[in-house]
Amino acid sequence: MGNRIKVFVGVMLAFVAFGCRTTKYVPDDAYLLNKIEIENEAKDLSKEELRYYVRQRENVKILGFWRFHLGLYNLSGRDNTKGFNKWLQRIGEEPVLYDELLKQKSNEQLRLYLKNKGYYHAEITDTMMVVRKKKAKVKYTIKAGERYSVNKVAYRIEDDSIKPYVLGDTINSLLKNGVPFDADLHDKERSRITRQMRNNGYYGFRKEFIYFLADSTIGNYKVNDSLVVVKDRLQMAGREDSIINHRKYRIKDVYFLVGYEPQRAVREGASYLSSFDSLEYEQCKILYGENLNFRADVLINSNYIFPGDLYNVDLVEKTQLLLAELQLFRFVNIRFRELEGETDEHGNGLLQCYIQLSSSKPQSYTVEVEGTNSSGNLGAAGSFNYKHKNFLRGGEVFDMRFRVAGENQRSRAGDLFQTLEVGGDATLTIPKFLMPFKIENFRKRYNPRTNFTLSYNYQRRPDYTRTIANSRIGYTWKSTPLVTHFLSPIDFSVINVPYIDPAFEEQIENTFLKYSYQDHLISSTSYTYIYNEQSLSGAKNYHYFQANLQFAGNILDGVSSLVSSNRGNEFNEVFGIRYAQYVKADIDWRYHIRVNNINSFAYRIFMGAGYPYGNLTVLPFEKRYFSGGANSLRAWPVRGVGPGSYEETQLDYYNQTADIKLEANAEYRFKLFWLLEGAFFIDAGNIWTIRSTDDPEIDSKGLFDFNSFYKQIAVGVGTGARLDFDYFVFRLDMGVKARDPILPSGQRWILGTRSITWDDVAFNFAIGYPF
């Protein structure tokens, strides 16, 4: 064994040593660009902003120092006819050689950028230094000087008809007296005015009609800004262009082209639409190729564009979004055609609107088979999913799922046992709010959905069998493109435990867990708020925030208290079953930072608490918090942490749950080669009880206390490997306990104090990123 270890270490050292030959492919008369350094005096401009304008970047690094991809390239041989050498060069990164011309261009780009930011007198010097053999460093030193600010903003509008729109909205202008001069603000102001004009009927208005004149000669580092809006230029064949006022446009006709096939339309030309049938509904004309498989009001309820209205780009985009989210169409394309020579009674131009809708398949199904691994417990699962996107001919989506899963698990003593889970659910989603009262225009403003769900789940373990039946009514709507709301006024569950192993029942008899394995009802109302920037295309960094609030049992308690059979009893029942009462709230915040194409950071904070009261003094098992596993504290098994510093010894398997959960995670991710990615992470957190459990040991070690909870934080570190297939990610993480709260006080830190054992290590296989 010792010789094998020596051989392995020798191979690794040889690999590292060879990979460190970063100048292997650097010619004798060239230098490897080892580092780009920026020394910047402009405190309101970050180095990252400035680095973007440097035309040459050094080879990428992982871990902040290791040029791994350059090392892969350097591992290749010089014979490019060999496939292995080609492969290494393809997955690696060619050495970046210092380029004098690119250094000069970078200087020019930085100077221009600083001028656009108001630093008119910025001085930039660039220096190339040879730091070692065949390696060079380039340093850019920026003496920014004083930044100019806007003294006053003047307006010159050549077209009197649009003056009220521009001058009447100056309160929302981005350019105000005293703000730092910034050319980017000019562009944003042009976009803002252009959108305002296009929202008021000016279909042909473009940013090119707006430009700025900046006078920086007035002294005292001030700039007088002049915003100029020019007239339109009418191009006339064979004649000199004519300068005209800007023109409003009104919608004359709206055509929905259902089942539109772009390739066939191009191939057949003008005759393509002649085969379509048509009908008119709410002044709009609906043309369809074969049968119209949905009611006409489905389109009208998702439409903001109607004959007689002025053109409005905001309403066009909202229509595009509403139609796309119906799931009835593969793509939605809205285009306009100007009717030359035609005007309305006010002289406004006229437009025809064509909404091209390419139909998608109304029904689909998928069958999935997968292997599972929960903290080393192997199993298999299969699922069948069926979807109908137009179930009642009104754009309703019907989803039905069935899943069966089995898993081999090991108890704390190492004994093997099997678990079985079978379940299914059916959801009908209706693209509007179904309420006893009417909410005018809510559909068009917030794109609401009403969801009806029925589900059933059967769980079998050696120690108990449990079934969960659930019915739920929910509402979903988006108040902004980034904010989604979920409201479930009725969520009713029946939890039945038809079998419990007598030995297991005896073990939990004197613990608070016994209530979790009794029949009970949950009738709750919940609300969820989600803010998600991830959908923004091209977003470098993004936030995700989710907040949940749930109340349970209050309505049932009010009704059951009127039932005479419940009076005088220790607790109330409905249909002979005890119901739960609690309030529960939690938040989940995540932040992702994309450093470059290779490196990124991800952070997560979770805080949650549930308070049981009234008819049931503990949270139901399904609503309790737990920690550990592939998406939590990865150095511990699922439900293997807490509460607090308490160590469960009575049960044969991990089943720690509680009322409060605090957790924080940080992960550094980096791409290696092909589909392979790596990661280093640190996880910290724990769970705690919020009320006395009648168990003195749990109460002394697991009850949440503001003065001592931080001493019970579990900390794990680790590394992981991932295969990114774009649509899904296979993930393998290895977590190591760094701080274990069940150890005696003063001995809880493991790393650096004693040797790591296999009991301190956990492996997790999962699908997808942990957060």
Side-chain angles (χ1 to χ4, degrees):
M1 177 65 72
N3 291 333
R4 291 181 180 177
I5 294 176
K6 290 179 180 178
V7 170
F8 176 77
V9 173
V11 171
M12 292 302 297
L13 289 175
F15 174 82
V16 173
F18 194 74
C20 289
R21 294 175 54 193
T22 53
T23 58
K24 176 182 177 181
Y25 284 104
V26 177
D28 292 336
D29 58 346
Y31 294 96
L32 177 73
L33 184 59
N34 191 61
K35 187 177 181 181
I36 296 290
E37 195 174 289
I38 298 177
E39 187 177 295
N40 173 36
E41 289 183 357
K43 302 304 180 183
D44 48 355
L45 299 180
S46 70
K47 289 185 179 180
E48 287 304 314
E49 288 181 79
L50 296 168
R51 189 176 290 272
Y52 177 80
Y53 294 91
V54 176
R55 298 297 89 188
Q56 195 174 27
R57 306 287 182 88
E58 60 266 52
N59 289 98
V60 295
K61 302 174 184 177
I62 61 175
L63 302 176
F65 67 90
W66 187 13
R67 291 185 172 89
F68 174 81
H69 301 84
L70 176 59
L72 285 177
Y73 188 95
N74 288 338
L75 281 174
S76 66
R78 297 185 182 274
D79 186 355
N80 290 331
T81 62
K82 293 184 178 180
F84 183 69
N85 291 335
K86 289 182 178 179
W87 180 73
L88 284 173
Q89 293 182 4
R90 186 172 67 252
I91 65 174
E93 184 186 29
E94 187 176 0
V96 177
L97 304 181
Y98 165 73
D99 189 312
E100 177 70 20
L101 180 60
L102 290 178
K103 178 172 71 77
Q104 295 174 6
K105 287 185 176 180
S106 298
N107 191 313
E108 295 170 4
Q109 290 290 318
L110 288 169
R111 192 182 307 277
L112 179 61
Y113 176 70
L114 287 163
K115 184 176 181 180
N116 287 337
K117 288 295 183 180
Y119 292 98
Y120 280 99
H121 304 302
E123 297 179 3
I124 303 173
T125 57
D126 52 68
T127 307
M128 178 273 210
M129 295 169 281
V130 178
V131 293
R132 65 189 71 169
K133 185 179 179 182
K134 290 190 177 183
K135 292 185 179 181
K137 178 177 80 171
V138 177
K139 181 177 181 180
Y140 297 92
T141 303
I142 299 173
K143 295 182 179 179
E146 192 74 22
R147 188 176 190 180
Y148 281 66
S149 61
V150 176
N151 181 52
K152 65 179 181 178
V153 181
Y155 293 85
R156 192 181 83 204
I157 303 171
E158 297 178 356
D159 184 348
D160 291 337
S161 66
I162 67 171
K163 278 185 178 180
Y165 297 104
V166 179
L167 299 181
D169 192 46
T170 54
I171 191 173
N172 294 317
S173 174
L174 302 176
L175 296 174
K176 301 182 183 297
N177 298 347
V179 301
F181 181 85
D182 190 339
D184 288 340
L185 280 183
H186 286 171
D187 194 57
K188 291 177 181 179
E189 179 69 2
R190 293 170 70 207
S191 298
R192 188 192 69 83
I193 293 175
T194 299
R195 191 168 193 87
Q196 181 199 12
M197 299 303 298
R198 289 171 63 82
N199 281 336
N200 283 280
Y202 291 91
Y203 168 72
F205 197 92
R206 302 185 304 276
K207 288 201 307 182
E208 289 71 24
F209 294 130
I210 305 172
Y211 68 90
F212 290 87
L213 297 174
D215 182 7
S216 60
T217 63
I218 61 175
N220 200 26
Y221 301 105
K222 299 289 185 179
V223 175
N224 282 340
D225 241 344
S226 296
L227 186 149
V228 181
V229 183
V230 299
K231 292 187 176 183
D232 197 357
R233 183 182 295 273
L234 180 63
Q235 297 181 351
M236 306 180 68
R239 298 169 58 186
E240 185 177 349
D241 293 349
S242 176
I243 305 300
I244 62 172
N245 286 339
H246 294 282
R247 192 181 198 185
K248 283 187 177 183
Y249 284 84
R250 197 173 293 276
I251 308 298
K252 180 182 180 182
D253 302 299
V254 177
Y255 295 94
F256 288 93
L257 308 181
V258 181
Y260 185 82
E261 300 178 22
Q263 294 180 347
R264 186 179 168 189
V266 172
R267 186 171 60 251
E268 298 183 14
S271 63
Y272 172 58
L273 295 180
S274 62
S275 62
F276 278 43
D277 290 328
S278 65
L279 62 88
E280 187 168 336
Y281 189 85
E282 296 288 339
Q283 299 180 306
C284 298
K285 298 176 179 63
I286 302 174
L287 282 66
Y288 53 95
E290 297 178 359
N291 295 325
L292 191 63
N293 296 321
F294 48 82
R295 300 189 302 271
D297 66 332
V298 173
L299 298 178
I300 302 305
N301 290 337
S302 299
N303 179 42
Y304 278 94
I305 310 169
F306 289 96
D309 293 346
L310 288 173
Y311 174 83
N312 186 308
V313 68
D314 280 352
L315 299 186
V316 173
E317 292 177 357
K318 288 182 179 180
T319 299
Q320 175 98 25
L321 176 64
L322 288 177
L323 290 171
E325 292 191 351
L326 281 175
Q327 299 189 39
L328 292 172
F329 313 109
R330 289 201 312 273
F331 74 85
V332 178
N333 181 38
I334 303 177
R335 65 180 187 87
F336 293 87
R337 185 171 73 91
E338 183 179 350
L339 298 177
E340 296 184 8
E342 294 189 36
T343 61
D344 65 4
E345 64 273 17
H346 302 291
N348 299 317
L350 295 178
L351 297 171
Q352 285 183 327
C353 175
Y354 295 90
I355 304 176
Q356 301 168 348
L357 306 169
S358 180
S359 301
S360 64
K361 293 182 179 180
Q363 301 182 64
S364 63
Y365 70 90
T366 58
V367 177
E368 298 178 354
V369 178
E370 61 183 271
T372 62
N373 185 319
S374 300
S375 299
N377 299 317
L378 299 177
S383 63
F384 172 81
N385 302 333
Y386 169 78
K387 174 180 282 190
H388 196 302
K389 301 176 183 177
N390 190 29
F391 191 63
L392 301 175
R393 298 188 71 249
E396 302 88 355
V397 178
F398 177 74
D399 280 295
M400 182 178 68
R401 290 179 286 269
F402 176 79
R403 175 180 169 85
V404 57
E407 192 170 71
N408 292 322
Q409 297 189 11
R410 291 190 179 275
S411 66
R412 293 174 185 266
D415 298 327
L416 189 67
F417 63 93
Q418 289 79 37
T419 66
L420 175 67
E421 184 171 341
V422 180
D425 63 79
T427 300
L428 179 64
T429 302
I430 300 174
K432 58 183 177 181
F433 267 10
L434 293 183
M435 286 187 169
F437 51 89
K438 189 174 182 180
I439 304 178
E440 294 291 342
N441 296 323
F442 198 89
R443 156 68 181 156
K444 292 182 178 180
R445 291 183 62 187
Y446 299 118
N447 193 23
R449 299 281 192 273
T450 302
N451 308 303
F452 297 92
T453 301
L454 293 174
S455 65
Y456 180 83
N457 186 264
Y458 170 88
Q459 304 167 2
R460 190 188 71 195
R461 297 171 60 97
D463 36 21
Y464 68 86
T465 298
R466 175 166 48 200
T467 65
I468 303 173
N470 174 265
S471 61
R472 181 174 65 252
I473 298 176
Y475 300 101
T476 305
W477 70 97
K478 295 177 75 71
S479 56
T480 73
L482 302 180
V483 176
T484 305
H485 306 264
F486 299 91
L487 174 65
S488 179
I490 301 175
D491 191 333
F492 191 80
S493 298
V494 180
I495 294 87
N496 179 247
V497 185
Y499 168 77
I500 184 169
D501 181 71
F504 174 68
E505 187 175 19
E506 184 178 353
Q507 282 182 312
I508 65 174
E509 176 61 30
N510 296 321
T511 73
F512 69 101
L513 285 175
K514 67 178 181 179
Y515 299 109
S516 298
Y517 296 92
Q518 297 175 351
D519 296 348
H520 57 275
L521 300 177
I522 301 176
S523 176
S524 65
T525 298
S526 61
Y527 168 75
T528 298
Y529 171 93
I530 296 178
Y531 175 84
N532 186 9
E533 295 178 340
Q534 188 174 6
S535 58
L536 293 176
S537 59
K540 184 176 181 180
N541 306 329
Y542 65 87
H543 291 270
Y544 174 90
F545 176 81
Q546 177 174 326
N548 304 292
L549 179 63
Q550 186 177 60
F551 297 92
N554 295 334
I555 297 177
L556 282 181
D557 192 61
V559 174
S560 64
S561 62
L562 303 177
V563 180
S564 58
S565 60
N566 283 328
R567 294 170 185 168
N569 294 337
E570 181 183 355
F571 53 82
N572 295 336
E573 295 181 342
V574 174
F575 306 121
I577 304 176
R578 190 176 184 177
Y579 57 86
Q581 278 185 279
Y582 62 86
V583 58
K584 182 181 178 183
D586 49 59
I587 61 172
D588 186 348
W589 171 81
R590 307 174 188 186
Y591 182 46
H592 288 244
I593 301 175
R594 180 179 175 272
V595 179
N596 51 42
N597 293 332
I598 301 298
N599 300 281
S600 64
F601 292 88
Y603 305 94
R604 173 178 174 262
I605 293 176
F606 181 92
M607 296 185 291
Y611 184 76
Y613 61 92
N615 206 50
L616 190 61
T617 56
V618 299
L619 281 179
F621 180 80
E622 304 77 23
K623 303 299 180 180
R624 296 176 67 82
Y625 294 107
F626 63 89
S627 195
N631 299 316
S632 182
L633 303 184
R634 283 163 278 184
W636 281 263
V638 177
R639 295 186 172 90
V641 186
S645 58
Y646 173 74
E647 181 181 10
E648 175 60 65
T649 57
Q650 296 185 45
L651 302 180
D652 291 333
Y653 63 95
Y654 296 105
N655 200 28
Q656 287 100 293
T657 59
D659 310 308
I660 296 176
K661 179 178 179 178
L662 300 177
E663 198 166 283
N665 313 83
E667 187 167 280
Y668 166 54
R669 300 168 182 170
F670 50 90
K671 294 183 179 180
L672 295 173
F673 58 87
W674 188 49
L675 305 175
L676 185 63
E677 298 179 0
F680 291 99
F681 58 83
I682 179 171
D683 306 319
N686 207 330
I687 57 174
W688 293 266
T689 58
I690 202 170
R691 295 182 59 166
S692 175
T693 64
D694 298 327
D695 186 324
E697 187 175 3
I698 294 180
D699 291 344
S700 64
K701 296 182 177 181
L703 199 62
F704 185 84
D705 186 341
F706 275 106
N707 297 320
S708 62
F709 80 93
Y710 61 91
K711 300 177 183 178
Q712 299 169 325
I713 296 295
V715 180
V717 298
T719 184
R722 294 88 191 275
L723 289 176
D724 186 356
F725 291 94
D726 289 334
Y727 295 104
F728 58 91
V729 175
F730 287 114
R731 172 166 58 94
L732 176 64
D733 288 331
M734 181 189 74
V736 179
K737 295 177 182 177
R739 188 178 192 275
D740 194 343
I742 68 171
L743 296 177
S745 181
Q747 302 177 28
R748 291 174 177 172
W749 283 104
I750 297 174
L751 286 184
T753 61
R754 65 168 173 81
S755 300
I756 302 298
T757 67
W758 280 113
D759 291 336
D760 300 321
V761 180
F763 292 90
N764 296 278
F765 174 76
I767 305 296
Y769 292 107
F771 50 89

